[in-house]
Amino acid sequence: NLDVSNGPDLRVILSPSELVDDRDAYHVNGFYDLGVLKGNQGNQNYEIPDDVDLAEYSTVAIFCIRFNYTFNAATIS
């Protein structure tokens, strides 16, 4: 049930940063890029390669590469 604003160059990223109220926090300590956001509404699936250790990441975020801006984020459970 994704519903996020549309924007340029949006990517789905995994971030080691905890979920916070700071849109700049998720790319500062590095991130893993899962690819281009497929759409801004509805359910989506992104393949996580076997060599990615999810224990290293706390948050998934919708991130605009061009403007270094996080549109939305959620805790990985």
Side-chain angles (χ1 to χ4, degrees):
N1 295 326
L2 177 69
D3 187 6
V4 66
S5 298
N6 203 0
D9 201 18
L10 295 182
R11 314 289 290 191
V12 178
I13 64 169
L14 302 177
S15 172
S17 299
E18 297 292 328
L19 188 62
V20 293
D21 193 23
D22 177 359
R23 294 185 183 270
D24 292 326
Y26 304 110
H27 66 282
V28 174
N29 295 322
F31 60 87
Y32 187 88
D33 188 344
L34 291 176
V36 175
L37 182 67
K38 297 174 184 175
N40 65 322
Q41 294 183 343
N43 295 336
Q44 300 175 34
N45 294 302
Y46 294 86
E47 187 172 332
I48 300 172
D50 292 336
D51 62 340
V52 173
D53 182 3
L54 282 179
E56 295 179 17
Y57 301 99
S58 302
T59 307
V60 61
I62 309 301
F63 181 67
C64 175
I65 298 288
R66 184 183 305 169
F67 296 111
N68 290 326
Y69 182 80
T70 301
F71 276 57
N72 210 338
T75 299
I76 296 174
S77 57

